[in-house]
């Protein structure tokens, strides 16, 4: 089947099998590899992207379901001149990453969270990111990164 998806402002049209997952379309057909494949069972959140502005785990969305929709990946958050998004800067500044495998999904889920709740509390950030797993950081610095990106003071 033929699908057309706008990914990071670029239209990508390709023939795919009916069972092709969005995560594979993004990585293989669009060539955007920041979106990671972690578990294929929605458990880890490494594949999180924005679908029409809403956070989704792309390992559970068929490419056909995204046909005609807009997808934003980590690569699409940067400004036109390559300037980092505030979340990308705050994750670096607050040491919200270690190995980096979960980082794209964490940042995309955080972008969705901040779009719905621009000034979350630490507890609201933890709740908003509970479907995204990190095996390295213990989450404290990730939460601090989201708080900083929201323009709030980071408590230490």
């Amino acid at each position: 089947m033929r699908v057309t998806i706008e990914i990071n402002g670029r239209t990508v049209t390709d023939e795919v099998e009916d069972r092709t997952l969005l995560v594979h379309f993004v990585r293989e057909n669009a060539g955007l590899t920041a979106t990671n494949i972690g578990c294929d069972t929605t458990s880890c959140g490494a594949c999180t992207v924005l679908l029409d502005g809403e956070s989704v785990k792309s390992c559970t969305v068929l490419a056909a379901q995204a046909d005609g929709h807009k997808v934003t990946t980590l690569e699409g958050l940067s400004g036109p001149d390559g300037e980092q998004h505030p979340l990308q800067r705050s994750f670096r500044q607050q040491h919200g990453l270690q190995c980096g495998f979960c980082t794209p999904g964490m940042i995309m889920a955080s972008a969705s969270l901040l779009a719905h709740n621009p000034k979350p509390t630490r507890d609201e950030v933890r709740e908003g990111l509970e479907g995204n797993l990190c095996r390295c950081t213990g989450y404290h610095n990730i939460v601090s990164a989201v708080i900083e990106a929201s323009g709030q003071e980071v408590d230490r």
Side-chain angles (χ1 to χ4, degrees), residues 5-152:
I5 304 170
E6 184 181 316
I7 304 176
N8 301 334
R10 180 176 67 108
T11 301
V12 180
T13 301
D14 215 338
E15 292 288 331
V16 298
E17 292 183 35
D18 295 349
R19 65 182 182 188
T20 300
L21 295 172
L22 180 57
V23 67
H24 295 294
F25 188 88
V26 166
R27 291 179 62 82
E28 297 163 17
N29 300 77
L32 300 169
T33 57
T35 303
N36 288 318
I37 300 170
C39 65
D40 283 329
T41 63
T42 76
S43 297
C44 73
C47 67
T48 302
V49 298
L50 302 181
L51 179 61
D52 294 332
E54 296 296 324
S55 174
V56 299
K57 294 178 181 175
S58 61
C59 73
T60 61
V61 176
L62 295 171
Q65 292 173 291
D67 186 30
H69 294 273
K70 295 180 179 183
V71 171
T72 306
T73 68
L74 182 67
E75 293 96 336
L77 285 185
S78 298
D81 60 352
E83 181 182 333
Q84 287 186 327
H85 186 275
L87 277 165
Q88 292 170 308
R89 287 193 305 269
S90 67
F91 266 68
R92 187 186 71 233
Q93 182 68 29
Q94 294 297 323
H95 307 287
L97 54 102
Q98 286 184 18
C99 81
F101 190 80
C102 72
T103 305
M106 285 286 186
I107 290 176
M108 298 312 294
S110 298
S112 180
L113 170 68
L114 291 177
H116 292 286
N117 184 355
K119 299 289 184 191
T121 65
R122 294 184 79 80
D123 287 341
E124 289 169 333
V125 172
R126 287 183 181 279
E127 183 179 325
L129 298 180
E130 71 181 356
N132 291 70
L133 301 179
C134 177
R135 302 195 192 291
C136 301
T137 66
Y139 301 99
H140 180 80
N141 292 350
I142 292 171
V143 172
S144 294
V146 177
I147 295 296
E148 179 181 289
S150 75
Q152 299 179 79

